[in-house]
Amino acid sequence: MAIAEQRRTDYQRQVVAASGWTAILHDWTTTVDHKKIGILYVLMSLVFLVIGGCEAILMRSQLLFPRYDFLPPDTFNQLFTMHGTTMVFFVGMPILIGVGNYLVPLMIGARDMAFPRMNALGFWATLFGGLLVYSSYATGGAPAIGWFAYAPLTERTFARTAATDLWALGLLVSGIGTLTAGINFIVTILGMRCPGMTLRKIPFFAWTMLWTSVQILLAIPPLTAALVMVLLDRNLGAHFFDTQNGGSAYLWQHLFWFFGHPEVYILVLPAFGMISEIIPVFSRKVLFGYEFMAAATAAIAFISMGVWSHHMFTVGMSKTLDLYFAAASLLVSIPTGIKFFNWLATMYGGKIRFASPMLFAFGFLSMFLIGGLTGIMLAIAPFNFQLSDSYFVVGHFHWVLIGGTLFGLFAGLHYWYPKVTGRMLSERMAQWQFWLLLIGFILTFGPMHISGILGMPRRIYTYEPDRGWEVWNQITTLGAAIQVPSYALFVINIVWSYFKGPLAGDDPWNAWTLEWATTSPPPAYNFEQILVVKSRRPLWDLKHPDDPDWNYE
Amino acid sequence: MDLFGVGTLLADCVPPENLSIFHPVSPGGRSIVSLSILVLAITGGILLVVGTVLMYCVFRFRTKTFDGHEPPQVYGSVPIEVAWTAAPAMIVFILVLVTTRTLWEVEIPVPEPVVGDNTLFVTVVGRQWWWEYQYEYYNGQKLGFTTANELHMPVSEASQQRRVYLTLKSADVCHSFWVPRLAGKTDLIPGRVNSMWLQTEQPGLYLGQCAEYCGTQHAHMLLRVNVESPAEFERWLQQEASVALHVDEATITRGREVFLGLSCINCHAVRGTGAKGTYGPDLTHIMSRATLASGQIPNNRENLRSWIADPQKIKPGCLMPAFGLSDKQLDEVVSYLESLR
């Protein structure tokens, strides 16, 4: 461990001594190292997370009292547009891609991603896309069209400023970044595994990244097409979505949700992968039913491509279509159930250590369970006629995306931080962060289910005093306020621990996958020699030569 | 069906003016609620079972310090995996069956109007940001008048069912018609015609609002549905179907001249006068409505005056501009509008 630490400080000293901070800046902006690109992705996403969080807090302040005039309506409408866009495109996807970028080559024993320069392009395109979307503020205000941007509200007639064009262009550019990342993962995972690592032996996180990438490959192009069409409508007088000239508002919804639904799984599958790495290590058990888990991942990716219209139950489809999309959506609960039971079976009979990664994994399990069940309710088409576009939906998908993706992600960030920096995070701060986040999160999104059931629609900047929604909105806002210090603690923790955290060593968690076989942080070339593996847990085999895994797989 | 009394419990907790979906007053709303309670019971059961197993694992297998001895490694078990694939599959199958039943109960296509059917047909047009109601047929009779923001419908009786079929259209962007206690929501999409039906045995005022984001004032596109006795409803129909009242009184006459002489008439219609605009609400019987600004403020002289003086102050971003009328003109126009009963 001392060697790694020495290596890092030596490197920094050399770079600084050579020509100062400009050299470091030059190094990071021109890097094609998958680890540095991964770190850039994560840092960028954290900045956007703070921005998106501030937008959320502003909205929650406006909803504190009925008919409150803290914010004007258009400002509020811009805030929810930017909040959604930011969290999905510039926080959720890039942070998962970033973690994947860092870990996938290490986990499969490769020296880098398949296309290192395309990898860099992917990051810079994503960042540039984000900047483009935010540059709309310079045109006098962000777009006020919602992140779903339903036609024809996005047509020139209803959204006159250039903000909507910048929004579409920004997503187009960042979409290129996402697509290249997806292609890169697929080629890397299929083509660059170390000797002995068959598809049945790849670490589970790499497996979920593979299927997330397949979904990216299928879902981003329809979005790109739709964005091009909306730009043509707005700027060159086409009428794809221009209903006053025979265009179809319905077409946008289909194209958007054909992207938008798989997107949900693009955001949650990598979190499943992280959990599937963490639960075994902290329970000291092998992942229960690897093959079923792998098949379930593929099944989720497959089914998710055929259920997009469950976002459109209220558009007046036929009964038959409503029934098909309800049934197909319910099917997703089968593979998801398999995964959940397998995680429980992995814990069963283990020796569970509640260090911070496992704590967040526990948060993931308990919260994702609830989010999944409200998802079943929303899949029931007639129930959806009432709940759709109500606050219940807002509660549900935040519950899934925060309880699932974010808790999973925090578990992963706490788990792999020592690998990236060579130092441990402060466990005390991590525990505080967890409990504040859990309590704040339940208080924020729990009451939203109730206000939705009480008839409160989403995306309203204010509400009437006589509706009985006031108290639920106030608890929600209180919950949001409790979440703030939690995120602040995380940021403080990663900065503080980078300088002051205890040294980690190569394998602080006594884990089993290949990334723990190299130093922390890993050298630029990852591994001194190309490794050869014989099972799913190569480090278990090393640590237990008397009882290696390959006897059982 | 009211499994475990959950529905009653939820319904009792809420005041009657509430919009709770668990407090329905219509056959459609009720059949959704009974399905919902079944779904809640099933998902609640799953939560209880899986949650208990999770908590058991957490507390039973928790260790503070790892002693170095690895627990037995269990790689998987095909029978167990098959079992917990089959169990959710069974639940999904049941859910699909009950969903089908409710879907076929709730979604009914619009029939043709027939004399003696006691059925009301209304075309609802969603607009930024108000509701236009075109009354088409009642009891097979053609109606053909237009009103705004407050829907009136007759109550249904056990002996005499009175259904209301709504044909839903949009004049600009997507909207969604949602009165939670009467029915689930249905979208109004430009270039598309949707429909839904309402029926209730309980007279009263039911509230709701647009549920699909439709721009600046989406939050203030409120819905009010007045369910009245058939006699009351028919009286209202008669009144609305007539042309505007013509009162010969000095202030009102001057107000009418101001109104008809300004660009008000480009957007608003008053039947029986030269005002034939269709962009804004029909004002023929504006004083028969309880509220202004699509349900936002009570309809009285004071509010009418401040609304006309500066609509942007009450509903920022709304499409009606302030016309800069003098105080005198304002009073006259308001007096004229007040005469439109």
Side-chain angles (χ1 to χ4, degrees), chain A residues 72 96 116 147 164 397 403 464 470:
Chain A
L96 295 166
W147 87 280
T164 303
F397 75 77
E464 303 304 302
E470 198 172 342

mmCIF file of all heavy atoms in Angstrom, chain A residues 72 96 116 147 164 397 403 464 470:
data_model
loop_
_atom_site.group_PDB
_atom_site.id
_atom_site.type_symbol
_atom_site.label_atom_id
_atom_site.label_comp_id
_atom_site.label_asym_id
_atom_site.label_seq_id
_atom_site.Cartn_x
_atom_site.Cartn_y
_atom_site.Cartn_z
ATOM 1 N N PRO A 72 -42.177 32.916 -10.109
ATOM 2 C CA PRO A 72 -43.198 33.057 -11.146
ATOM 3 C C PRO A 72 -43.394 31.728 -11.883
ATOM 4 O O PRO A 72 -42.485 30.891 -11.888
ATOM 5 C CB PRO A 72 -42.623 34.115 -12.085
ATOM 6 C CG PRO A 72 -41.248 34.403 -11.634
ATOM 7 C CD PRO A 72 -40.940 33.628 -10.411
ATOM 8 N N LEU A 96 -23.057 6.645 -14.108
ATOM 9 C CA LEU A 96 -22.991 5.190 -14.236
ATOM 10 C C LEU A 96 -21.978 4.798 -15.312
ATOM 11 O O LEU A 96 -21.193 3.858 -15.149
ATOM 12 C CB LEU A 96 -24.376 4.628 -14.568
ATOM 13 C CG LEU A 96 -25.404 4.839 -13.445
ATOM 14 C CD1 LEU A 96 -26.808 4.589 -13.935
ATOM 15 C CD2 LEU A 96 -25.085 3.940 -12.258
ATOM 16 N N PRO A 116 -9.988 3.882 -26.860
ATOM 17 C CA PRO A 116 -9.704 4.908 -25.844
ATOM 18 C C PRO A 116 -10.012 6.325 -26.307
ATOM 19 O O PRO A 116 -10.536 7.128 -25.534
ATOM 20 C CB PRO A 116 -8.204 4.740 -25.578
ATOM 21 C CG PRO A 116 -7.892 3.367 -26.049
ATOM 22 C CD PRO A 116 -8.820 3.061 -27.171
ATOM 23 N N TRP A 147 -39.014 17.667 -19.224
ATOM 24 C CA TRP A 147 -37.913 16.869 -19.786
ATOM 25 C C TRP A 147 -38.416 15.932 -20.872
ATOM 26 O O TRP A 147 -37.681 15.509 -21.753
ATOM 27 C CB TRP A 147 -37.164 16.091 -18.695
ATOM 28 C CG TRP A 147 -37.754 14.748 -18.374
ATOM 29 C CD1 TRP A 147 -38.826 14.508 -17.584
ATOM 30 C CD2 TRP A 147 -37.296 13.466 -18.838
ATOM 31 N NE1 TRP A 147 -39.080 13.164 -17.531
ATOM 32 C CE2 TRP A 147 -38.150 12.489 -18.289
ATOM 33 C CE3 TRP A 147 -36.240 13.039 -19.662
ATOM 34 C CZ2 TRP A 147 -38.003 11.120 -18.531
ATOM 35 C CZ3 TRP A 147 -36.099 11.677 -19.900
ATOM 36 C CH2 TRP A 147 -36.963 10.741 -19.346
ATOM 37 N N THR A 164 -35.497 26.138 -26.445
ATOM 38 C CA THR A 164 -35.905 24.772 -26.807
ATOM 39 C C THR A 164 -34.953 24.177 -27.841
ATOM 40 O O THR A 164 -34.653 22.980 -27.808
ATOM 41 C CB THR A 164 -37.356 24.781 -27.320
ATOM 42 O OG1 THR A 164 -38.180 25.345 -26.293
ATOM 43 C CG2 THR A 164 -37.843 23.380 -27.635
ATOM 44 N N PHE A 397 -41.233 7.215 -9.212
ATOM 45 C CA PHE A 397 -39.983 7.079 -9.966
ATOM 46 C C PHE A 397 -38.786 7.686 -9.231
ATOM 47 O O PHE A 397 -37.660 7.243 -9.426
ATOM 48 C CB PHE A 397 -40.112 7.574 -11.417
ATOM 49 C CG PHE A 397 -40.156 9.053 -11.613
ATOM 50 C CD1 PHE A 397 -39.010 9.817 -11.540
ATOM 51 C CD2 PHE A 397 -41.351 9.682 -11.907
ATOM 52 C CE1 PHE A 397 -39.053 11.181 -11.731
ATOM 53 C CE2 PHE A 397 -41.410 11.049 -12.106
ATOM 54 C CZ PHE A 397 -40.255 11.796 -12.003
ATOM 55 N N GLY A 403 -33.969 5.455 -4.473
ATOM 56 C CA GLY A 403 -33.857 4.234 -3.676
ATOM 57 C C GLY A 403 -33.108 3.139 -4.413
ATOM 58 O O GLY A 403 -32.427 2.321 -3.800
ATOM 59 N N GLU A 464 -54.324 24.943 -5.001
ATOM 60 C CA GLU A 464 -55.371 25.669 -4.297
ATOM 61 C C GLU A 464 -55.333 25.342 -2.798
ATOM 62 O O GLU A 464 -54.992 24.224 -2.417
ATOM 63 C CB GLU A 464 -56.739 25.306 -4.873
ATOM 64 C CG GLU A 464 -56.854 25.578 -6.367
ATOM 65 C CD GLU A 464 -56.539 27.019 -6.723
ATOM 66 O OE1 GLU A 464 -57.200 27.926 -6.205
ATOM 67 O OE2 GLU A 464 -55.592 27.245 -7.507
ATOM 68 N N GLU A 470 -51.656 20.681 1.326
ATOM 69 C CA GLU A 470 -50.654 21.563 1.916
ATOM 70 C C GLU A 470 -49.684 20.801 2.816
ATOM 71 O O GLU A 470 -48.476 20.864 2.641
ATOM 72 C CB GLU A 470 -51.394 22.633 2.712
ATOM 73 C CG GLU A 470 -50.567 23.835 3.031
ATOM 74 C CD GLU A 470 -51.427 24.924 3.657
ATOM 75 O OE1 GLU A 470 -52.669 24.858 3.522
ATOM 76 O OE2 GLU A 470 -50.847 25.828 4.272
#
